[in-house]
Amino acid sequence: MSVLAASRVPGAQLHRKGKVREVYEAGADKLVIVASDRLSAFDVVLPTPIPDKGKVLTQLSTFWFRKTSRLVPNHLISTDLRKFPRVFREAKGLAGRAVLVNHCERIDVECVARGYISGSAWTEYKALGTVAGEHLPPQLLESEKLDRPIFTPATKAESGHDQNITRAQLAAMVGTDLARELERITLALYEFGHDYALQRGVILADTKFEFGFYDGKITLIDEALTPDSSRYWDAATYRAGSVPPSYDKQYVRDFLTATGWNREPPGPALPEEVVRGTTQRYRQAYRKLVGKELS
Ligand SMILES: Nc1ncnc2c1ncn2[C@@H]1O[C@H](COP(=O)(O)OP(=O)(O)OP(=O)(O)O)[C@@H](O)[C@H]1O
Ligand SMILES: [Mg+2]
């Protein structure tokens, strides 16, 4: 096990620091992205890192990038530190959690696909009978499988919570053709991931992708089909009409809710037992999906 709250790479130019990742410049049109062990819940980064979380996110994303490269090009160049610029080879703690990628021009949209009705989609449906502004059949149960997966985009807020938008709003933002392509690719990736996961006893309820442009082509960036970007359920215990226990951050969210925290920063520290339970869940998600232990 290893723990990294934040990476430090002397001599490298920090391009941006996100909630979970440090992004460094790595030459003209390349970046090195390092996934730390920070965990954000309700959009607040918690003070306690989760050992190995960044490795799970990086290695699971890499697994999916390789599996889905026929569906859409992705940003991944290499995970082999020996191929990174020298400053990264000399930095400490990057092994297994850093990737060299093509620097893409980001499309500022969260591309969400949902095959089951849960989370914010369930909240909207209960109140209005719609999801992302579109009507769904009446009398759906919480967590029920939808007839077919739906695309529910959201804007990427610079700070605070992402805002759900309709497909029409997306088309107005980025143009009809690009909106249609983003929807097509997002649903194709979701269906691939869903079917693959199901063979391994895991339900991919919903997930979020980010895309950018590289060489004029729509390219999958950031992370892919991880427990941070996806809602994964155990297929064996799944039942519509209940909220299935998931491999995602629900475990930590439940703990945080029980503390009565008002969801404003700073977040509370996590007790050792919750940290251990969370590491276990991330590693278990990797083991289930990839079929081997995280190295
Ligand atoms: N290939 C790429 N080219 C350009 N930007 C990328 C690429 N891959 C990932 N990114 C960006 O790098 C950042 C990764 O950091 P992290 O996931 O911690 O951010 P975040 O807190 O989720 O931030 P954001 O609010 O931007 O989503 C994100 O802003 C993501 O959009
Ligand atoms: Mg992110």
Side-chain angles (χ1 to χ4, degrees):
M1 271 215 301
S2 76
V3 59
L4 185 77
S7 65
R8 245 176 43 82
V9 185
Q13 177 75 37
L14 189 65
H15 173 72
R16 110 177 247 144
K17 181 174 172 164
K19 289 188 285 289
V20 171
R21 296 173 178 78
E22 280 85 46
V23 182
Y24 298 93
E25 308 279 351
D29 58 351
K30 295 186 182 66
L31 299 170
V32 166
I33 303 183
V34 182
S36 74
D37 290 326
R38 297 191 294 278
L39 183 147
S40 83
F42 307 113
D43 282 330
V44 176
V45 177
L46 301 183
T48 320
I50 305 297
D52 283 349
K53 172 177 180 279
K55 288 189 179 175
V56 169
L57 298 185
T58 299
Q59 293 177 41
L60 196 51
S61 288
T62 300
F63 169 80
W64 286 115
F65 283 138
R66 293 189 173 134
K67 287 254 177 279
T68 60
S69 62
R70 282 178 304 284
L71 295 175
V72 60
N74 62 63
H75 70 174
L76 184 67
I77 301 170
S78 180
T79 58
D80 182 353
L81 278 178
R82 289 169 301 186
K83 304 212 168 102
F84 289 30
R86 186 177 46 81
V87 284
F88 299 98
R89 298 196 303 267
E90 289 168 354
K92 284 195 196 71
L94 302 197
R97 54 171 84 241
V99 285
L100 180 68
V101 304
N102 286 318
H103 186 171
C104 302
E105 187 194 327
R106 193 174 84 176
I107 302 166
D108 287 347
V109 179
E110 309 259 352
C111 291
V112 179
R114 302 172 186 274
Y116 299 72
I117 186 160
S118 186
S120 67
W122 173 248
T123 306
E124 179 184 330
Y125 176 79
K126 252 193 325 189
L128 304 166
T130 58
V131 173
E134 292 176 38
H135 282 275
L136 288 184
Q139 272 143 26
L140 289 175
L141 299 173
E142 184 166 16
S143 315
E144 189 165 343
K145 189 170 200 270
L146 300 171
D147 285 342
R148 54 192 169 74
I150 54 173
F151 175 60
T152 63
T155 56
K156 281 186 69 67
E158 251 326 299
S159 65
H161 304 282
D162 299 329
Q163 194 77 46
N164 289 329
I165 55 173
T166 64
R167 291 154 74 237
Q169 283 172 309
L170 176 65
M173 269 174 62
V174 303
T176 315
D177 291 351
L178 180 54
R180 201 179 290 139
E181 265 306 272
L182 292 175
E183 172 164 353
R184 183 186 68 75
I185 296 166
T186 298
L187 292 174
L189 287 168
Y190 171 79
E191 285 186 39
F192 177 87
H194 174 269
D195 294 354
Y196 192 96
L198 202 54
Q199 290 176 3
R200 296 184 172 264
V202 178
I203 291 175
L204 174 63
D206 53 52
T207 193
K208 177 223 60 166
F209 300 105
E210 291 184 26
F211 299 95
F213 281 104
Y214 189 78
D215 258 355
K217 284 206 270 296
I218 299 177
T219 302
L220 179 59
I221 65 169
D222 202 47
E223 60 181 329
L225 297 163
T226 71
D228 275 14
S229 66
S230 317
R231 188 175 269 114
Y232 280 117
W233 295 329
D234 183 5
T237 55
Y238 164 77
R239 202 168 46 76
S242 68
V243 183
S246 61
Y247 297 108
D248 70 9
K249 287 182 277 189
Q250 199 55 46
Y251 173 71
V252 178
R253 291 198 195 104
D254 290 347
F255 165 80
L256 292 168
T257 303
T259 64
W261 172 49
N262 64 2
R263 300 186 183 179
E264 294 297 325
L270 301 175
E272 219 173 281
E273 177 204 332
V274 174
V275 172
R276 242 195 327 269
T278 307
T279 289
Q280 263 168 26
R281 279 165 176 76
Y282 275 90
R283 292 185 69 108
Q284 184 187 29
Y286 182 90
R287 188 187 322 119
K288 278 244 180 191
L289 291 165
V290 178
K292 61 177 190 205
E293 202 64 44
L294 181 82
S295 57

